[in-house]
Amino acid sequence: MPVRQKATRYRTEFDDDDGSAALLAAAMGPPAMCVVFRVPDEDEVPAEDCERITLAREKVIGTLRALNLNVDQYVNKPAGDKIFCKISAPDTMLRFEAESQGIRLRLKEEHGGALCKFSQELDERDAFDKALDGFELFSSKEQLFIIKEVIYSSPAGDDGEGVDDIKWQQLWDEPDKIVCGMFGLHHDRMRLKLLNEWARAYGKPQPLELIREYFGEKIALFYTWMGFYNTMLWIPGLVGLALFISQVYTYPLTNSLDNPFVPVFACVSAMWASMFCQLWKNLENTRKYQWDTLKFEDLEQTREEFKSHPKTQEDEHVNAITGELDDFYFDEGSYFPPTGRAQVQLVTYTVILILNIIAIMSSVFIWKTVAHPMMSDDDVMVGSILFSVLTTIIGLIIDGVMDGIAELGIRGAMHQLIAEENWMTDTDHEDSIIMKTFYFKFANKYMSLFFVAFGVNNVPLFEEFYRCPSWQCMPVLQVVFCTTVTMEILYSLMVAHLFPIINKYFDSLADNSALKAKAGKVVQKAPFEEQEEWLDATPVIDLYKDKVYQFGYISMFGVAFPMVTFLCLIFNLLDMRSRALTLLSKNKRPDPKVAADIGPYQQVLEVFATMSIITNSSICGITSYGLYFYFPEMTLTEGLWSVVILEHLLFIVRIFCINMIPSEPSHARLVWQTQQDRKAKMLEKWDLTEPEDEQ
């Protein structure tokens, strides 16, 4: 825990003592954190407990002021059961802390435009550019980061030594629960700008630099990816729409949605998936250079959960390379015999294996006992829909148990399992969650589609075959695919819009102001009171999930019902702006975080792109009759050979894409290197040096 110097270090000869600067800053609304204290009911809580809670609260507020933070107190009226403290930082403090914490700001274009660590010398030479959100130097994101770092530090005593820091976790714990909330306040000027230029501007490009400036690189990177995904989705979306129109036109002639263009769309889907992955890597690396996040993971801080884990060794383990004691260490271990982290991972893999078996067996059981008996040569609709609905519901239940539902405040079993694996950094922790989630979701989400497309006609179930009527599985696959994706979209709408309402309703039952509102009393609330009732933002790692696995549906099985791809495109375009609106008007402001890339989600996309070649080729040669329009006399053996040939051709196209589309953007790298060179020349000219990054 860092120790803060005496408060006088922030004062300068230009500070005023009459408070006029503070009043002006308050009028302008500086970025602020909000800490919410509980005020005990004197009629229900014993007097000595009320006094103890009051003293603890005043001690916290006194410590915050000793840290040289500006603290303004407000009591929520008329309930009077909470005290809101708005915490902001004076300008001189921001400059001091920015230098000590190594905050990087953008240099003016005349000095190269690179990111450079803040220093008083550079500031005096007016080297830094103005923040995009209108503040003179530090953006609201950077100011909130500094404030949070300070409130978790220790103030200096009269002798210059550190005194006790605030034990925030104890203040949150029951039974007293003195602190009932802490969050960064939205800054209305920038929030309204983003509402008008982003969330409500459906026809405009996303202002990604403004998003990054306000929310940080991690959220900005997600919306970069989602915008890119939606843009690329126009290709299969429009081709799929054209194919669907042709299917409607030819249906009276063939009595089937199969037509000569189905194999064409299958090839388009597989090639599109490969191009998407490679083009995204290029754009992602471009953002790394533009936002200068190249070294982020090397400089990432150790998680507090890792430090406090009972199995983490502190100053005990000798590093095999440096020969020095590691500050913190946890043994990676081995699988045979099971030791260390590997031992815990074996438990996670065992749980995943059991869930995959449940998903597979449930699909088999539902097909055999429910769906298949309801199908006939004349009607496969009811049985197919029922099969899809039941398997999707089981899949959503398994997802809920493992992933939890962030919008309802429910944590899943996967989070607990990964927590026991005890990863050192947030990136390692999230990477483990992403990959292990993929291991069970692949079977959980797509097993029913693989089963119908390639399994039921060719694999006996309990020593008997339960084939599609007349061996035609394409109509069944079309219904199952369309129903499954529709249910996934409906569920995502429930998660995004219905679940937060349910969560807020139950939270409001304990809120006096809500009870009074129900009684007909109008309660006027300040902005920070309203934001205190807003829900926490959905974690970024969860935002990717719906769209990444939607990519899997479209790339691997979109050929089954091409119109679904176009409908997903329309839904995504609306959903992207809806999520932005929720983030700005219904969610507390999330802590700004950095991310250099989308992590293992890139590997997941690569798996889907590779699998799309196999599934689309197999659907053309095994499940669909599209190739028979070109080769009417084709035998089953020739159909299998067509799968092999088409698959190899598509793999050649994939290899061609990987080699022709560079993952490393040469122009962005050149711009970044030019900026670094100009920055180095500027520092050399002024006889200054930039502090080295600490690892």
Side-chain angles (χ1 to χ4, degrees):
M1 186 69 67
V3 177
R4 302 289 153 183
Q5 299 180 20
K6 291 282 288 182
T8 52
R9 66 178 167 79
Y10 298 122
R11 297 192 60 79
T12 71
E13 58 181 323
F14 302 106
D15 289 343
D16 62 339
D17 292 324
D18 59 4
S20 59
L23 289 173
L24 180 61
M28 295 296 291
M33 295 282 296
C34 184
V35 177
V36 187
F37 294 95
R38 181 176 71 90
V39 178
D41 190 335
E42 295 180 356
D43 295 332
E44 297 180 1
V45 180
E48 58 272 15
D49 289 341
C50 288
E51 183 178 359
R52 177 171 50 80
I53 293 173
T54 301
L55 289 174
R57 180 178 67 245
E58 293 303 323
K59 181 180 179 182
V60 171
I61 295 174
T63 303
L64 291 172
R65 285 177 173 151
L67 288 166
N68 243 23
L69 294 162
N70 297 326
V71 182
D72 298 316
Q73 299 182 58
Y74 304 87
V75 179
N76 63 325
K77 296 180 179 179
D81 59 347
K82 294 177 183 176
I83 291 179
F84 293 82
C85 287
K86 289 179 64 177
I87 306 169
S88 58
D91 188 63
T92 46
M93 177 193 214
L94 292 173
R95 282 174 161 78
F96 183 94
E97 292 295 336
E99 186 166 9
S100 64
Q101 294 180 27
I103 299 293
R104 298 193 304 165
L105 302 179
R106 183 74 63 181
L107 294 169
K108 288 184 175 179
E109 189 61 35
E110 62 198 73
H111 301 308
L115 286 171
C116 182
K117 288 188 177 181
F118 177 83
S119 70
Q120 298 283 357
E121 293 89 348
L122 288 173
D123 186 30
E124 290 171 358
R125 296 174 185 268
D126 195 26
F128 295 107
D129 206 353
K130 188 175 181 179
L132 293 178
D133 57 6
F135 288 98
E136 196 62 35
L137 189 60
F138 302 105
S139 67
S140 62
K141 173 195 71 175
E142 290 153 353
Q143 292 187 46
L144 289 180
F145 176 81
I146 290 172
I147 293 169
K148 191 166 185 179
E149 288 292 310
V150 172
I151 67 175
Y152 276 95
S153 63
S154 302
D158 294 334
D159 56 358
E161 297 295 328
V163 298
D164 289 342
D165 57 286
I166 301 172
K167 302 295 189 292
W168 290 106
Q169 191 58 50
Q170 295 179 14
L171 297 173
W172 258 298
D173 291 341
E174 299 287 355
D176 289 339
K177 200 170 185 179
I178 298 170
V179 173
C180 53
M182 179 193 294
F183 53 94
L185 289 169
H186 281 283
H187 196 269
D188 278 346
R189 180 174 59 199
M190 189 67 166
R191 187 175 73 90
L192 294 174
K193 184 178 179 69
L194 285 170
L195 280 171
N196 292 327
E197 297 184 11
W198 178 35
R200 295 171 180 156
Y202 284 86
K204 293 182 179 179
Q206 297 186 97
L208 292 170
E209 282 301 317
L210 289 178
I211 297 169
R212 183 190 68 83
E213 187 87 342
Y214 191 71
F215 289 113
E217 286 80 2
K218 193 168 189 175
I219 288 179
L221 187 64
F222 165 72
Y223 281 100
T224 302
W225 181 88
M226 191 171 179
F228 176 76
Y229 174 51
N230 289 344
T231 301
M232 290 290 292
L233 202 56
W234 280 100
I235 299 173
L238 292 178
V239 175
L241 177 62
L243 174 56
F244 180 73
I245 293 172
S246 73
Q247 288 176 322
V248 173
Y249 179 77
T250 59
Y251 185 82
L253 302 175
T254 63
N255 198 32
S256 169
L257 291 180
D258 258 345
N259 72 15
F261 301 109
V262 169
V264 175
F265 185 74
C267 295
V268 169
S269 295
M271 290 187 291
W272 169 80
S274 296
M275 289 180 59
F276 175 87
C277 292
Q278 198 62 22
L279 287 171
W280 166 250
K281 280 194 281 189
N282 183 283
L283 178 57
E284 181 183 67
N285 286 322
T286 299
R287 290 290 182 264
K288 284 184 182 181
Y289 285 109
Q290 291 175 343
W291 297 344
D292 203 358
T293 57
L294 297 166
K295 297 181 180 179
F296 161 68
E297 293 185 10
D298 295 333
L299 305 173
E300 194 173 7
Q301 295 182 352
T302 303
R303 298 169 66 233
E304 291 298 326
E305 294 86 349
F306 178 79
K307 295 178 183 179
S308 60
H309 195 279
K311 294 184 180 179
T312 298
Q313 300 176 23
E314 184 175 359
D315 295 327
E316 296 180 14
H317 179 263
V318 178
N319 191 294
I321 298 176
T322 64
E324 299 178 355
L325 288 176
D326 287 326
D327 293 338
F328 298 95
Y329 174 79
F330 184 67
D331 184 21
E332 289 289 337
S334 62
Y335 291 107
F336 302 102
T339 58
R341 181 176 288 121
Q343 182 180 28
V344 184
Q345 287 183 299
L346 276 178
V347 176
T348 306
Y349 290 133
T350 301
V351 173
I352 292 172
L353 178 61
I354 293 172
L355 290 175
N356 286 343
I357 293 174
I358 292 174
I360 294 170
M361 295 307 297
S362 63
S363 295
V364 172
F365 177 79
I366 293 170
W367 176 266
K368 177 179 179 295
T369 61
V370 180
H372 189 266
M374 300 182 69
M375 294 182 184
S376 65
D377 292 343
D378 299 325
D379 181 21
V380 299
M381 182 73 71
V382 176
S384 301
I385 291 177
L386 196 57
F387 174 73
S388 177
V389 168
L390 292 177
T391 53
T392 303
I393 289 175
I394 291 173
L396 292 175
I397 292 173
I398 293 175
D399 275 357
V401 171
M402 291 299 289
D403 283 348
I405 305 174
E407 288 74 10
L408 291 177
I410 301 174
R411 290 179 64 84
M414 182 62 74
H415 290 275
Q416 182 60 39
L417 291 169
I418 302 301
E420 290 302 316
E421 293 180 8
N422 194 26
W423 295 97
M424 178 177 289
T425 65
D426 285 331
T427 297
D428 291 337
H429 179 80
E430 289 190 353
D431 288 354
S432 183
I433 291 178
I434 292 169
M435 287 310 301
K436 292 182 175 66
T437 299
F438 169 70
Y439 296 150
F440 83 83
K441 277 185 179 291
F442 188 85
N444 193 36
K445 286 185 174 293
Y446 307 114
M447 178 58 203
S448 60
L449 296 169
F450 277 100
F451 183 66
V452 170
F454 314 120
V456 294
N457 278 353
N458 305 298
V459 180
L461 308 176
F462 307 107
E463 300 182 353
E464 291 185 45
F465 282 97
Y466 293 86
R467 296 187 174 99
C468 298
S470 302
W471 284 68
Q472 296 190 32
C473 282
M474 192 63 175
V476 180
L477 180 63
Q478 289 164 345
V479 176
V480 171
F481 173 71
C482 185
T483 306
T484 299
V485 175
T486 301
M487 288 188 66
E488 290 278 356
I489 290 175
L490 291 175
Y491 179 72
S492 68
L493 287 172
M494 288 176 58
V495 169
H497 301 287
L498 180 59
F499 288 178
I501 294 174
I502 296 173
N503 195 359
K504 188 173 182 179
Y505 170 76
F506 284 106
D507 285 345
S508 68
L509 293 180
D511 190 343
N512 290 336
S513 60
L515 296 175
K516 290 183 179 181
K518 289 181 180 180
K521 296 183 179 180
V522 178
V523 180
Q524 297 292 336
K525 295 183 178 180
F528 47 82
E529 292 182 85
E530 293 179 348
Q531 292 183 36
E532 192 257 340
E533 295 178 356
W534 291 357
L535 300 175
D536 293 331
T538 302
V540 177
I541 188 176
D542 291 336
L543 293 176
Y544 281 102
K545 273 191 292 194
D546 288 346
K547 306 310 174 189
V548 167
Y549 290 103
Q550 182 193 90
F551 174 87
Y553 281 118
I554 291 171
S555 61
M556 292 192 295
F557 294 100
V559 66
F561 202 91
M563 185 63 182
V564 167
T565 304
F566 183 75
L567 295 177
C568 285
L569 169 62
I570 301 303
F571 169 72
N572 288 353
L573 292 173
L574 298 174
D575 185 55
M576 183 172 69
R577 304 294 175 161
S578 175
R579 288 180 183 272
L581 184 62
T582 298
L583 187 62
L584 290 164
S585 60
K586 296 180 181 179
N587 289 148
K588 293 184 179 74
R589 185 172 179 177
D591 291 336
K593 294 184 178 180
V594 180
D597 50 47
I598 65 173
Y601 277 125
Q602 180 66 42
Q603 300 173 35
V604 174
L605 294 171
E606 297 284 355
V607 170
F608 288 146
T610 302
M611 289 299 300
S612 71
I613 294 175
I614 299 172
T615 56
N616 282 289
S617 301
S618 300
I619 287 173
C620 288
I622 298 174
T623 313
S624 169
Y625 287 91
L627 288 177
Y628 284 88
F629 288 95
Y630 301 97
F631 310 104
E633 305 299 325
M634 186 174 65
T635 64
L636 178 60
T637 302
E638 291 170 338
L640 293 175
W641 273 109
S642 70
V643 172
V644 175
I645 294 171
L646 183 58
E647 180 183 289
H648 279 66
L649 290 175
L650 290 174
F651 271 117
I652 291 173
V653 173
R654 176 165 171 75
I655 295 171
F656 178 80
C657 288
I658 292 173
N659 285 277
M660 292 302 296
I661 302 174
S663 58
E664 188 76 9
S666 57
H667 176 71
R669 184 175 65 250
L670 178 61
V671 171
W672 177 84
Q673 189 59 56
T674 302
Q675 290 177 335
Q676 301 303 312
D677 293 342
R678 292 180 65 187
K679 178 177 73 172
K681 290 180 180 178
M682 177 203 69
L683 293 173
E684 182 181 2
K685 176 183 176 182
W686 290 340
D687 197 23
L688 300 174
T689 57
E690 185 178 13
E692 294 291 331
D693 292 318
E694 295 181 3
Q695 303 211 11

